[in-house]
Each structure stands twice: as C-alpha cells, then as structure tokens.
Amino acid sequence: FNLDRYKVLEYEGLRFYVTHGDVYSFSRVNYLASKAKEFNCQVVLFGHIHYPVDITIDGIRLLNPGSLLYNRDESKIGYYQLIYLLII
C-alpha cells in the first residue's frame, strides 16, 4: 500500500491533523502539536501507541483512542474514542 502519512480534514470549521502515529512516539506529542499548527489544525487524531490520550498542548487537542484489547498502559479494560464526522 502507498498510504499518506497524514491527512488534514475539515468539519464544521474545525481542522483535524490525522495520522496513524507510527512515525511519532508518545514522547513526540509536542511535535504532533506543532505539525497541527503548521496546517492550521485545532485537533490531532493519532493512534499506534495502544493507550488513550486526551491532552491539550498550546491550544491543540490531541486524541488517541487507545486499544480495545492490547493495552500498553497495563489496564485490564479496553479503551476507545468514538469520533463521528460526516463529510459530504
């Protein structure tokens, strides 16, 4: 597959920087926030690290849904975030 490393989506005036996150470790969330700012995004949606994140850095909200099964935060429950966007 030749997939994009990221996408920028817009919905109802909000811009989203969306990436799987495999090229960014959690220690690089500041970098993710700076990438979002570079593209005038207010929200970063990312994955890969298998634990939930909901933080704000420099006014940028960063969300990671975590994992339903393989939690790397050693919790016994699964996590998910439901993000519903209707883009027509």
Side-chain angles (χ1 to χ4, degrees), residues 69-85:
L69 186 57
Y70 300 109
N71 298 313
R72 292 192 181 153
D73 65 354
E74 299 182 6
S75 63
K76 303 256 188 255
I77 62 170
Y79 294 99
Y80 70 95
Q81 292 171 343
L82 180 60
I83 301 166
Y84 178 76
L85 297 176

Side-chain angles (χ1 to χ4, degrees), residues 14-15 33 36-37 41-44 55-62:
L14 281 178
R15 289 176 58 87
K37 282 190 171 202
C41 297
Q42 296 82 27
V43 180
V44 174
I55 59 174
T56 301
I57 298 175
D58 292 332
I60 306 295
R61 188 157 185 196
L62 293 99

Side-chain angles (χ1 to χ4, degrees), residues 17-85:
Y17 184 87
V18 182
T19 184
H20 175 71
D22 57 315
V23 295
Y24 312 105
S25 66
F26 181 69
S27 64
R28 299 191 69 202
V29 291
N30 288 319
Y31 179 74
L32 282 172
S34 71
K35 292 301 285 183
K37 282 190 171 202
E38 181 181 328
F39 291 97
N40 297 314
C41 297
Q42 296 82 27
V43 180
V44 174
L45 304 177
F46 70 107
H48 186 67
I49 59 174
H50 293 261
Y51 57 90
V53 173
D54 184 354
I55 59 174
T56 301
I57 298 175
D58 292 332
I60 306 295
R61 188 157 185 196
L62 293 99
L63 298 170
N64 184 315
S67 176
L68 288 173
L69 186 57
Y70 300 109
N71 298 313
R72 292 192 181 153
D73 65 354
E74 299 182 6
S75 63
K76 303 256 188 255
I77 62 170
Y79 294 99
Y80 70 95
Q81 292 171 343
L82 180 60
I83 301 166
Y84 178 76
L85 297 176

